[in-house]
Amino acid sequence: MTGAETVAVVVVTYNRADLLARMLRGLAALDHAPDAVIVIDNASTDHTPQVLADAALPGLQVIRTAENLGGAGGFHLGMRTAYERGFDRIWLMDDDVVPAPDCLGVLMATDEPCLMAVREDLEGRLVEKAATRFDLDNPLALRPKTAMVETAYGERARMPALVEVENVAFEGFMVRRDVVERVGLPDPSYFIFYDDVDYALRVRRAGYRIWAVRDAVLVRQLSFDQQHDLAGWKGFYMYRNLFVVHLRYGGNVLVRLKPWLLTAAVVLLSPLRGGRGEARNVIRAMASARGMRALPPSSVD
């Protein structure tokens, strides 16, 4: 099923107007033009509205939210909008990547329901961090991501044409509408972090496989910085959402106990590392995660 399929690009943005402008120019330069580009502007307070007003991009639809829904809420809204408009494929995109001109064409020519474009940095180095192994069965695995495309292959040229991955980033993830019909929409309650991981786990539990496509390239405009302040507001979401993934999808009771053990360890070690701020965050995160254990709806209605 290729060629005649329609595709909508869903972009979520918040206060990164200059990156967004570069990204929109990349979409305009695609060899395979998308049928629609749906931009969710998460109530940006910079010059994002002007960038969108100036964009010469056929099929552009801008949805400006009344408040910042976070990346999770933005992708939930964007995927729902694309699904309700009847597109065959939906391509999720953050505002800090630029697709190579042939990226969308390569994806559309790949007859699989779940695909990932592969990210490189500005120097052409492979920086695809999608997990080739995401282990929620081993209670001794401190972090579930035990292997990823970048570390498994080192260079994009060493990859086979398709690499199966076990989680995704919403930076180049593409799904067919039958996946959405069966799995539902991204969970907006995550706000930021792990909403894409959650969706990939739901997709795989529904029996789908996810393939990273070597020749579909996205260029990431920013370097990866995973060292967030765990005592700040982002630290709360990082802890909480990691805990939710374990509570929802842990393969055994020991894995589902890991959030409790990690909470205790962080509190005990807080005088030596993150201080009271991190201790408060992890306690709040554990309490909040318990209320998110139920799986989100598998319906788009």
Side-chain angles (χ1 to χ4, degrees):
M1 186 176 178
T2 58
E5 288 180 290
T6 57
V7 58
V9 181
V10 171
V11 181
V12 177
T13 190
Y14 175 68
N15 278 358
R16 298 203 292 192
D18 294 336
L19 287 173
L20 176 66
R22 200 179 310 166
M23 189 265 183
L24 293 175
R25 290 194 294 270
L27 291 180
L30 287 169
D31 297 340
H32 183 120
D35 297 278
V37 176
I38 302 167
V39 177
I40 308 299
D41 175 7
N42 257 333
S44 296
T45 57
D46 64 357
H47 56 291
T48 291
Q50 189 60 51
V51 166
L52 291 167
D54 293 343
L57 193 59
L60 177 63
Q61 175 186 357
V62 177
I63 300 175
R64 181 173 171 83
T65 61
E67 60 182 356
N68 183 4
L69 305 177
F75 283 116
H76 175 94
L77 175 59
M79 185 181 283
R80 176 184 290 280
T81 302
Y83 178 84
E84 290 177 347
R85 290 185 58 187
F87 293 102
D88 299 313
R89 298 205 199 194
I90 302 169
W91 194 22
L92 304 183
M93 193 80 67
D94 212 343
D95 56 13
D96 62 357
V97 290
V98 175
D102 63 348
C103 183
L104 181 54
V106 170
L107 291 173
M108 295 299 289
T110 305
D111 189 12
E112 293 288 345
C114 303
L115 299 172
M116 265 293 298
V118 172
R119 291 169 289 177
E120 293 184 339
D121 66 14
L122 292 169
E123 284 72 44
R125 294 178 297 232
L126 180 67
V127 291
E128 183 49 63
K129 300 186 184 298
T132 54
R133 179 72 177 116
F134 197 80
D135 189 349
L136 287 169
D137 294 317
N138 180 6
L140 300 179
L142 186 60
R143 296 178 179 177
K145 185 190 292 187
T146 58
M148 57 185 172
V149 173
E150 177 184 355
T151 54
Y153 296 98
E155 298 177 2
R156 191 169 62 86
R158 296 177 181 172
M159 295 173 59
L162 297 177
V163 174
E164 187 167 6
V165 294
E166 297 189 355
N167 78 349
V168 301
F170 284 164
E171 288 186 356
F173 179 56
M174 176 182 282
V175 290
R176 280 189 169 135
R177 67 179 294 107
D178 65 282
V179 178
V180 183
E181 288 170 357
R182 186 171 177 185
V183 176
L185 300 167
D187 184 351
S189 64
Y190 277 93
F191 191 72
I192 57 169
F193 305 132
Y194 289 98
D195 52 315
D196 39 18
V197 172
D198 182 279
Y199 199 73
L201 290 168
R202 289 158 58 198
V203 162
R204 293 179 59 242
R205 285 191 167 205
Y208 295 100
R209 301 171 77 180
I210 306 171
W211 300 98
V213 183
R214 178 195 62 205
D215 297 329
V217 178
L218 291 177
V219 179
R220 202 168 196 274
Q221 304 301 293
L222 300 175
S223 61
F224 279 98
D225 179 11
Q226 306 295 335
Q227 303 304 314
H228 295 291
D229 176 15
L230 294 177
W233 70 270
K234 287 186 178 181
F236 165 75
Y237 288 106
M238 293 193 75
Y239 275 127
R240 186 198 66 172
N241 297 347
L242 176 64
F243 293 169
V244 172
V245 167
H246 281 79
L247 294 175
R248 284 182 177 179
Y249 306 107
N252 54 68
V253 67
L254 293 177
V255 171
R256 294 190 293 274
L257 280 173
K258 281 172 61 180
W260 299 93
L261 298 175
L262 182 57
T263 298
V266 170
V267 171
L268 288 172
L269 293 173
S270 61
L272 303 176
R273 37 172 291 162
R276 292 181 179 179
E278 185 177 3
R280 283 194 296 267
N281 266 350
V282 77
I283 292 170
R284 288 175 52 233
M286 189 68 246
S288 181
R290 292 180 64 196
M292 291 175 61
R293 284 176 291 184
L295 291 174
S298 58
S299 170
V300 294
D301 300 325

